[in-house]
Amino acid sequence: PIGYDPSDMAALPGGRVVILLRVVDPLNPPFFDGMLAVADPTDIVAGKEWRWRKLADLTAPVPRDNYEGLAIAPDPDGVTMWLISDDNFARFQRTLLLKLHWRIAPRAAAAK
């Protein structure tokens, strides 16, 4: 999305990826907004925009911060996503580790 920059990306089982995006919001401390998007690398076509869809906005109740790291661990019910921010030695930032769970239907079943 306009204004957002990717800060990390991690592969899902099956080949799609989750992209961690962030934007600096200078008017609203702590100054950052975040989003998770999902996309399929097989959809990449030279000269065309890579199609993606929003998975989640990182808004309340998720603490607002400068998330810059993402890891994905498969589990029997879907995936666990770990997001990390760090304080960068700044008073308005924190070091946070978030654990999110996403129940994913198999792609074949989801397409039906």
Side-chain angles (χ1 to χ4, degrees), residues 5-110:
D5 292 310
S7 62
D8 204 0
M9 181 170 56
L12 290 166
R16 292 181 298 166
V17 295
V18 174
I19 306 162
L20 175 60
L21 300 143
R22 63 184 172 181
V23 63
V24 176
D25 182 354
L27 301 178
N28 293 307
F31 306 110
F32 300 98
D33 285 323
M35 177 189 308
L36 293 171
V38 64
D40 190 334
T42 63
D43 291 339
I44 295 173
V45 177
K48 298 204 176 188
E49 187 173 326
W50 186 19
R51 294 179 307 154
W52 57 274
R53 72 175 177 87
K54 184 189 307 186
L55 182 60
D57 283 313
L58 299 177
T59 58
V62 174
R64 212 172 158 197
D65 216 298
N66 182 22
Y67 295 103
E68 46 195 354
L70 169 68
I72 293 179
D75 63 44
D77 225 13
V79 296
T80 298
M81 293 185 284
W82 295 93
L83 279 67
I84 191 157
S85 70
D86 72 89
D87 65 11
N88 294 305
F89 305 104
R91 290 179 189 242
F92 61 90
Q93 290 179 267
R94 300 168 285 179
T95 298
L96 300 172
L97 179 63
L98 299 181
K99 181 181 181 182
L100 305 174
H101 187 262
W102 181 24
R103 291 186 182 156
I104 302 174
R107 285 189 87 185

